[in-house]
Amino acid sequence: MLSGPYAGMILADLGADSVKVEPLKGEGTRSLLAKDPNNSYDGQGAYFLTLNRNKKSVCIDLKSDAGLKVFYDLVKDADIVLDNFSAGVPAKLKIDFEHLSEINPRIITCSVTGFGQAGPNFQRPAFDQVVQGIGGGMSITGHDQDHPARAGIPIGDLGGGMFAVMGVLSALHAREKRGYGQHVDISMLDCQISMLNYMATMYFLSGDDPKPIGNSHFVHVPYDAFPTSDGFVIIAVIFDSFWDNLVELLDIEALRDPKYKTQPGRFADKDKINGILKELLITNTTAHWVDLLSSARIPCAPVNKFSDALSDPQVLFRNMVVDIPQSDGGAVKAPGNPIKLSVDSEEAFATPPGLGQHTREVLRALGYSEPRIEELMTQGVIG
């Protein structure tokens, strides 16, 4: 519901001609929040409004032979077929790589599933928190082992979408050399395991399961979110030079202990150092401390609410808040495209499509006559 559409959104943002093939009744996210007065616009919920910009909607009954024929005609002229079905469904529908490559040998197919296309548990249903839990990341998120916490943003879903984009673009590059396509198999669980990264290597080396430590760090000190008089400020001292700057700036005698000049000494007294900083930082505002710390080039940041993050001058300068035009002439704000290209730098965001809005347009482009389109409409093959 999210991984595949998110991948398609990124590709569409980058200029792909993205055709969203939906069942005649529409896909699932069309109804999510659609009637919520605070999280919808003109009958479309926040999910659909965000994920479906720059896409065209074509309605096809893929379970009918006539509908399958229409889909195959689309595939003849396509580069990529991306699906977010459960494992095995594309093969049942005869829209998997084996079938589609016979129609178009250059086709690249990509399936984003919970667990991939094979294995002892590959057919289990999966959603974001399921793969976050199985993938290990939840066990180190939060402040203690008794209260595991998922990431606040759905990294299980979004990670699958991002890796799908990388996979299909790699396959496109390979096709330019080889002349034929291939299947890209993306498992949301695989993506979560990949993002464990160096912490997984640390586990293999030590044999110790890491534990949740909140916002602090298992190496660096100070590295945490500290309370201020009106919020929180993050201080991230990675290098010893940052520590030297911090000591000079704050001028606290207890922090001038020579053993703190290197990481091992600081880590040994982690609680003491953090306690000293907490006593000081609570006495003034987040903005005060961010300005002061930034002036000494010490890595720091506020813990922004959405309202702060989405109005940050740097975010706005990078065009990371954009207006998505709507059919009634209004607009909905949404996150922009984070991939900035030096040559293809123009960014445009089109209205999320109405259900089946582009069926006629797309089929005409394939050479379908108006009588044939009407016939298929009447038969309930397309909508």
Side-chain angles (χ1 to χ4, degrees), residues 95-140:
I95 60 169
D96 58 333
F97 180 73
E98 182 178 348
H99 286 89
L100 300 188
S101 60
E102 292 180 0
I103 298 164
N104 179 356
R106 291 174 58 82
I107 199 69
I108 291 161
T109 60
C110 176
S111 295
V112 185
T113 61
F115 304 103
Q117 301 299 309
N121 298 309
F122 80 103
Q123 290 186 313
R124 291 175 58 184
F127 291 95
D128 175 78
Q129 190 166 177
V130 172
V131 296
Q132 282 199 42
I134 298 176
M138 277 185 64
S139 74
I140 57 170

Side-chain angles (χ1 to χ4, degrees), residues 226-234 249 281-296 298 300-305 308 312:
F226 297 93
T228 66
S229 63
D230 65 350
F232 295 87
V233 61
I234 293 167
L249 179 72
L281 296 170
I282 196 69
T283 64
N284 217 318
T285 66
T286 297
H288 169 82
W289 293 119
V290 169
D291 288 345
L292 195 64
L293 292 162
S294 296
S295 70
I298 297 165
C300 64
V303 177
N304 278 339
K305 300 180 179 68
D308 300 316
D312 183 277

Side-chain angles (χ1 to χ4, degrees), residues 62-378:
L62 293 176
K63 296 181 179 179
S64 70
D65 291 340
L68 201 56
K69 171 64 169 59
V70 173
F71 184 76
Y72 288 164
D73 286 338
L74 279 171
V75 170
K76 290 175 184 176
D77 195 41
D79 290 300
I80 302 161
V81 175
L82 173 68
D83 81 79
N84 204 173
F85 290 119
S86 298
V89 171
K92 291 179 181 177
L93 292 174
K94 298 180 182 178
I95 60 169
D96 58 333
F97 180 73
E98 182 178 348
H99 286 89
L100 300 188
S101 60
E102 292 180 0
I103 298 164
N104 179 356
R106 291 174 58 82
I107 199 69
I108 291 161
T109 60
C110 176
S111 295
V112 185
T113 61
F115 304 103
Q117 301 299 309
N121 298 309
F122 80 103
Q123 290 186 313
R124 291 175 58 184
F127 291 95
D128 175 78
Q129 190 166 177
V130 172
V131 296
Q132 282 199 42
I134 298 176
M138 277 185 64
S139 74
I140 57 170
T141 304
H143 290 274
D144 60 68
Q145 291 176 287
D146 296 328
H147 302 89
R150 67 173 178 85
I153 57 175
I155 61 170
D157 282 326
L158 299 181
M162 287 188 284
F163 278 98
V165 171
M166 288 184 258
V168 298
L169 293 181
S170 297
L172 277 173
H173 182 68
R175 191 184 70 180
E176 294 306 305
K177 296 180 178 180
R178 300 171 185 155
Y180 54 87
Q182 60 183 304
H183 180 62
V184 180
D185 173 10
I186 300 294
S187 154
M188 292 162 62
L189 176 59
D190 290 355
C191 298
Q192 294 301 291
I193 296 296
S194 173
M195 289 190 285
L196 295 180
N197 203 264
Y198 64 87
M199 295 196 71
T201 305
M202 292 171 64
Y203 161 74
F204 286 125
L205 290 170
S206 69
D208 297 328
D209 279 313
K211 297 178 175 58
I213 53 175
N215 296 312
S216 65
H217 201 277
F218 51 87
V219 174
H220 304 299
V221 177
Y223 190 109
D224 212 328
F226 297 93
T228 66
S229 63
D230 65 350
F232 295 87
V233 61
I234 293 167
I235 298 178
V237 170
I238 305 297
F239 302 126
D240 294 336
S241 59
F242 294 147
W243 172 256
D244 294 338
N245 293 347
L246 183 66
V247 170
E248 289 304 312
L249 179 72
L250 300 182
D251 193 23
I252 298 174
E253 189 60 33
L255 298 181
R256 293 186 182 277
D257 191 319
K259 70 179 180 181
Y260 295 160
K261 290 186 70 65
T262 59
Q263 179 273 334
R266 294 194 296 273
F267 190 78
D269 270 2
K270 177 179 179 178
D271 290 341
K272 180 180 178 180
I273 291 172
N274 284 348
I276 292 170
L277 292 177
K278 285 178 181 178
E279 286 184 11
L280 174 65
L281 296 170
I282 196 69
T283 64
N284 217 318
T285 66
T286 297
H288 169 82
W289 293 119
V290 169
D291 288 345
L292 195 64
L293 292 162
S294 296
S295 70
R297 294 195 58 78
I298 297 165
C300 64
V303 177
N304 278 339
K305 300 180 179 68
F306 276 40
S307 54
D308 300 316
L310 296 172
S311 60
D312 183 277
Q314 182 68 21
V315 170
L316 298 179
F317 179 84
R318 296 281 295 177
N319 202 34
M320 282 309 300
V321 174
V322 299
D323 289 322
I324 310 300
Q326 301 300 307
S327 56
D328 67 353
V332 171
K333 290 188 180 300
N337 174 16
I339 302 171
K340 309 299 184 183
L341 303 175
S342 64
V343 176
D344 301 305
S345 58
E346 286 294 321
E347 294 186 329
F349 300 94
T351 307
L355 181 61
Q357 178 181 339
H358 302 94
T359 301
R360 292 179 182 274
E361 173 190 325
V362 170
L363 294 190
R364 284 193 209 105
L366 294 177
Y368 279 60
S369 67
E370 284 297 332
R372 179 57 176 158
I373 292 174
E374 286 297 335
E375 181 183 10
L376 292 171
M377 288 270 187
T378 302

